[in-house]
Amino acid sequence: MKKVIIALFLFGTVLVSAQEITPTLENIASFEGKTITICEKVTGIHETKGGNALLNFGKPFPDNAFSVVVFKLDREAFSYDPLTLDTKTICVTGTVILYKGKPEIIVKKETEIVIK
């Protein structure tokens, strides 16, 4: 009986660890340091004084849940202006970092964003 209980416990542990958690706006901060792909609608845009593009998701800034940052030098290599993505649904692939307590992904290449 003891062996059966141990076997069931180990099997359950393997099943739980094998399940992948999908990144969402609600849980994206838990993916800090991990490379993910997340698909969401851009709910706001902003261009900094330095020419960086910020794409916000969830609620409008400053209550946004998540941001994508395209620095000016990287933005210049895009075939389109990332600021034109306002209200579009996009998929972004990159590493989640926390900046001032909020999750963001810094995009370096156009291929890291797929427009739906």
Side-chain angles (χ1 to χ4, degrees):
M1 181 68 169
K2 190 175 184 181
K3 288 181 182 180
V4 171
I5 292 173
I6 292 172
L8 287 173
F9 173 76
L10 292 174
F11 181 71
T13 303
V14 169
L15 281 180
V16 170
S17 64
Q19 294 176 350
E20 290 191 33
I21 299 172
T22 302
T24 64
L25 292 178
E26 291 78 23
N27 70 9
I28 192 165
S30 69
F31 289 89
E32 181 183 12
K34 296 184 174 120
T35 300
I36 63 161
T37 298
I38 185 167
C39 300
E40 292 289 342
K41 182 178 180 179
V42 178
T43 56
I45 56 168
H46 176 70
E47 182 174 19
T48 67
K49 291 179 184 176
N52 302 324
L54 302 175
L55 310 176
N56 296 310
F57 299 82
K59 296 180 181 177
F61 181 83
D63 297 320
N64 55 307
F66 163 66
S67 294
V68 167
V69 180
V70 185
F71 291 119
K72 181 181 179 183
L73 289 175
D74 300 319
R75 184 178 168 192
E76 291 171 354
F78 275 57
S79 64
Y80 63 89
D81 183 354
L83 295 176
T84 62
L85 298 176
D86 194 23
T87 72
K88 293 195 169 43
T89 299
I90 64 172
C91 295
V92 180
T93 300
T95 303
V96 177
I97 62 168
L98 292 183
Y99 178 74
K100 295 186 177 181
K102 289 212 176 194
E104 67 181 31
I105 292 177
I106 297 172
V107 170
K108 298 281 189 186
K109 298 180 279 188
E110 183 176 331
T111 56
E112 296 171 320
I113 297 176
V114 175
I115 303 166
K116 291 290 190 167

